[in-house]
Amino acid sequence: DYDTGSVLYSKNANDKMYPASTTKILTAIIAIEKCNLDDIVTVKKSAIKTIPSGYSSAYLNEDEQISVDNLLKVLLVHSANDAANVLAEHISGTVNDFSNLMNEKAKEIGCKNSHFVNPSGIHDDNHYTTASDLALIAKYCMSNSKFKEYVSMKNCIIPATNKSDARKYPNTNDLINTSSKYYIKECIGIKTGFTSQAQNCLVSAC
């Protein structure tokens, strides 16, 4: 329950599991708190060359200049792994240093059984959390009006940049897609995830 924090129902709440792209909610809130949304970030080769094939991407280009605001939109709406890396490098210099920030933030929020090694949820055996910890992170994130706005968007449009025409990306979350059989009118986000190791993951709010 968002208002009280009381747990209404749980199952295997403290089992360590792979979070896949639900990881990105923690990445996003750190970026929202640490960055000016109007800051322009230059995409580095190191941020985009490390995305394995088959993982979701916004196909950002090397040396592309894009605002933190637009990186956050494509991170949360389209689950772009390249946007996660770009934000991590912008904030901490390297993905590795950013993961230290993630673990500090998770502890600050109250997480007890989580360990993050990257900003995206690309599979790593040492990258894990629990349903209980994800619920705590989600509750914390949804108290931020900007975060709440991003995760409820049905799609996002990234304006033209120095390296690309305008692009439109659909939300990966069928619960807020009005044409989906899974659509729930009361749903206001939050984030899907999938890797072959994690299988289907979902953090949602109504």
Side-chain angles (χ1 to χ4, degrees):
D1 178 72
Y2 176 79
D3 293 323
T4 64
S6 60
V7 177
L8 305 178
Y9 171 87
S10 72
K11 181 181 178 183
N12 306 331
N14 296 306
D15 290 2
K16 290 181 181 176
M17 302 180 108
Y18 302 128
S21 286
T22 59
T23 298
K24 294 181 175 102
I25 67 177
L26 182 58
T27 299
I29 198 65
I30 292 170
I32 290 168
E33 291 179 351
K34 290 204 167 283
C35 300
N36 182 326
L37 297 181
D38 295 328
D39 283 351
I40 301 298
V41 182
T42 301
V43 176
K44 296 178 188 168
K45 187 178 183 181
S46 54
I48 54 178
K49 71 175 183 182
T50 52
I51 309 297
S53 65
Y55 279 87
S56 177
S57 177
Y59 299 104
L60 301 173
N61 300 291
E62 186 179 353
D63 295 328
E64 183 165 2
Q65 294 183 313
I66 184 167
S67 69
V68 169
D69 180 54
N70 285 321
L71 285 167
L72 281 163
K73 284 176 186 171
V74 84
L75 174 81
L76 290 171
V77 172
H78 191 63
S79 202
N81 291 287
D82 46 355
N85 285 350
V86 172
L87 285 165
E89 289 187 353
H90 174 64
I91 294 164
S92 298
T94 68
V95 162
N96 196 46
D97 285 345
F98 185 78
S99 66
N100 294 331
L101 207 57
M102 295 176 76
N103 289 312
E104 285 168 22
K105 189 69 184 179
K107 273 193 188 138
E108 181 193 310
I109 291 169
C111 298
K112 300 276 197 296
N113 297 296
S114 296
H115 185 254
F116 300 98
V117 300
N118 64 61
S120 60
I122 284 173
H123 182 73
D124 186 294
D125 286 348
N126 292 314
H127 186 98
Y128 57 82
T129 186
T130 66
S132 178
D133 283 357
L134 274 179
L136 285 174
I137 294 168
K139 183 179 185 303
Y140 177 85
C141 290
M142 290 299 274
S143 68
N144 182 287
S145 59
K146 203 70 198 171
F147 179 92
K148 204 170 177 179
E149 177 191 320
Y150 291 135
V151 297
S152 64
M153 295 171 73
K154 291 179 170 50
N155 56 65
C156 68
I157 295 170
I158 307 304
T161 68
N162 61 320
K163 291 282 185 177
S164 174
D165 293 335
R167 288 158 286 188
K168 183 176 182 179
Y169 301 92
N171 197 314
T172 59
N173 187 357
D174 279 342
L175 294 182
I176 63 171
N177 175 0
T178 50
S179 62
S180 164
K181 66 178 179 179
Y182 301 109
Y183 173 66
I184 297 174
K185 186 176 64 175
E186 296 82 6
C187 189
I188 52 173
I190 299 173
K191 188 79 195 69
T192 61
F194 178 86
T195 65
S196 54
Q197 296 88 348
Q199 292 296 298
N200 292 296
C201 304
L202 179 70
V203 177
S204 59
C206 287

